[in-house]
Amino acid sequence: MQLDYIKKELHRGVVTENPIFRIVLGMCPTLATTTNATNALGMGLSVIAVLTCSNAAISLLRNVIPNKVRIPAFIIVIATFVTVVDLLIAAFAPTLYEALGIFIPLIVVNCIILGRAEAFAAKNPVYPSLVDGFVMGVGFTVSLLLIGVIREYLGAGTLFGYAITPFKHEFILMSLAPGAFITLGLVLAGINHLQRSNDK
Amino acid sequence: MMSSLIAIIITSAVFNNVILGQFLGVCAFLGVSKAISTAWGMGLAVIFVMVLANAITFFVQLLLVKAGVAYLQTLAFILVIAALVQMVEIMLKKTSPGLYQALGIYLPLITTNCAVLGIALLAIKKNYGFVESIVYSFATAAGFTLAIVIFAGIREQMRFSKIPDAMQGFPIALITTGIMALAFMGFAGFKLPF
């Protein structure tokens, strides 16, 4: 029962309501932090942590926060967790911290997080909100990882920094800015196409 | 001094364009670029908000450092920016209802436009002084306007072309942006004479 619930929610977060591919929110980190799979995973995990915590906290506070000032209140809660994650990464994963740069503090303005707070956590009890935050975070991470894997493989010929093909090939464009836009565009088009042929 | 300011302007407006090079503010870029006129409006709103935000956050940072709570930077900055956008919205509603109509729903979006917070944070990170910070934010926002107006122009033309079903909407917009980014990368080959 419990497991079924989580499975169903995971399917919702990763497939039917995937924040990147279905709802198309939070483009900036998707483009900026996917130069390789490691950075993409790091960014995804940070977002899972912030989203789960902020959804739970906002759900706990939902009856205390006056409706009129709810958005600033949500932003303060989110910014607090982002600061915690920012300091933790700086302390324990300095290379990742260097690579992600200002995109860690920018999790604050990631539309997905405020979006889930407003659309879900503000109206639901703690446990479902926590699960919602987690599965949406997982959906975000899976999407980032997919883009990161494609870009790293095509751009540098490696995966998570390890060479996986016997010959060396580099298509640097994929690691640079244009590659980010083009990869995401093509992946979105592919998903649209799959969706269309499924509907038929 | 002057030449370093010019270098900041050219680098942040063109060479390292905020959207095409740094991926900041992509949501607003894709959202408000269906017509050239609204793209202009959005660009001007971003210029206005970004310069103001940088001017204010510069002093907020001084206060935070003085109080020994520099780690509250993210929290303090986002609150200042949110309040600022609210004020701009109220002012715009009173003074130019036409522009307010056009930008209505997008103004609150500037709060979550990562470019505004991002540039405020980057200016601090780069250790810019007050004048440099203002010039930097203005040039970056001008770069945003440049990119979004060009993109809106392309999108207006794109209405007349036949785009495959699966590519319609975001996919073709992203690929177009990618090609624009490729064109802007060509500028990176230039060397400034100073």
Side-chain angles (χ1 to χ4, degrees):
Chain A
M1 166 68 198
Q2 211 42 298
L3 205 68
D4 271 1
Y5 168 66
I6 300 210
K7 252 192 201 158
K8 222 178 89 199
E9 287 288 288
L10 262 179
H11 184 263
R12 185 172 68 93
V14 177
V15 184
T16 45
E17 284 179 37
N18 186 304
I20 303 288
F21 296 144
R22 311 293 345 204
I23 310 180
V24 200
L25 280 179
M27 290 288 102
C28 305
T30 315
L31 295 162
T33 62
T34 51
T35 40
N36 61 50
T38 318
N39 291 352
L41 187 63
M43 186 68 198
L45 292 179
S46 317
V47 168
I48 292 183
V50 173
L51 192 50
T52 312
C53 295
S54 72
N55 253 16
I58 285 166
S59 169
L60 276 173
L61 294 169
R62 71 185 188 283
N63 297 324
V64 186
I65 299 173
N67 200 35
K68 270 197 169 157
V69 293
R70 68 181 193 286
I71 302 286
F74 293 168
I75 292 179
I76 294 178
V77 172
I78 295 168
T80 309
F81 287 115
V82 170
T83 307
V84 171
V85 168
D86 186 67
L87 294 174
L88 282 176
I89 299 180
F92 293 108
T95 32
L96 185 68
Y97 189 74
E98 245 349 271
L100 296 182
I102 62 159
F103 283 92
I104 303 172
L106 285 183
I107 297 175
V108 176
V109 284
N110 191 319
C111 326
I112 295 167
I113 303 196
L114 194 58
R116 290 328 289 175
E118 171 81 358
F120 200 93
K123 297 174 195 139
N124 289 290
V126 180
Y127 182 64
S129 303
L130 195 134
V131 173
D132 178 78
F134 180 73
V135 296
M136 284 295 158
V138 172
F140 181 78
T141 308
V142 168
S143 324
L144 249 67
L145 206 54
L146 177 65
I147 309 277
V149 163
I150 296 175
R151 284 184 67 195
E152 186 182 346
Y153 179 68
L154 293 177
T158 57
L159 272 187
F160 291 100
Y162 299 104
I164 53 161
T165 37
F167 52 93
K168 196 171 156 63
H169 69 92
E170 281 172 356
F171 181 29
I172 297 168
L173 180 76
M174 296 311 278
S175 308
L176 298 172
F181 288 109
I182 292 170
T183 311
L184 184 57
L186 288 177
V187 169
L188 275 179
I191 288 173
N192 275 351
H193 183 72
L194 282 178
Q195 180 70 22
R196 265 157 225 276
S197 40
N198 256 353
D199 287 349
K200 266 175 206 163
Chain B
M1 181 67 186
M2 204 55 218
S3 64
S4 79
L5 285 185
I6 294 173
I8 289 178
I9 293 175
I10 299 177
T11 313
S12 43
V14 183
F15 292 180
N16 199 6
N17 187 282
V18 60
I19 290 172
L20 304 171
Q22 302 186 70
F23 310 111
L24 290 171
V26 177
C27 291
F29 176 77
L30 293 174
V32 204
S33 51
K34 298 227 165 71
I36 294 181
S37 53
T38 45
W40 267 116
M42 185 68 184
L44 295 181
V46 168
I47 292 181
F48 190 58
V49 172
M50 209 181 257
V51 173
L52 266 179
N54 264 43
I56 296 172
T57 51
F58 181 80
F59 293 107
V60 172
Q61 175 71 12
L62 288 185
L63 276 178
L64 288 177
V65 171
K66 206 159 193 191
V69 288
Y71 58 87
L72 288 182
Q73 194 190 39
T74 315
L75 194 95
F77 279 22
I78 187 67
L79 285 180
V80 167
I81 291 169
L84 186 73
V85 173
Q86 203 89 68
M87 254 173 53
V88 170
E89 194 182 347
I90 295 169
M91 273 163 53
L92 215 60
K93 212 174 186 171
K94 286 261 185 248
T95 54
S96 96
L99 195 61
Y100 180 77
Q101 279 282 309
L103 296 177
I105 51 165
Y106 292 109
L107 255 184
L109 273 185
I110 294 189
T111 314
T112 48
N113 182 336
C114 43
V116 178
L117 179 62
I119 294 305
L121 291 171
L122 276 176
I124 304 289
K125 215 175 182 181
K126 292 181 185 221
N127 258 328
Y128 281 157
F130 185 69
V131 178
E132 283 167 318
S133 176
I134 297 291
V135 170
Y136 173 63
S137 57
F138 179 80
T140 306
F144 177 87
T145 312
L146 177 73
I148 197 173
V149 170
I150 295 177
F151 185 57
I154 298 176
R155 264 189 131 169
E156 281 190 355
Q157 294 303 311
M158 228 148 60
R159 274 202 311 247
F160 304 111
S161 27
K162 198 167 153 22
I163 297 159
D165 276 353
M167 297 285 271
Q168 255 153 27
F170 280 110
I172 191 71
L174 281 164
I175 291 168
T176 313
T177 315
I179 295 168
M180 270 175 72
L182 200 57
F184 268 67
M185 256 174 61
F187 289 117
F190 284 128
K191 260 220 161 79
L192 292 175
F194 39 77

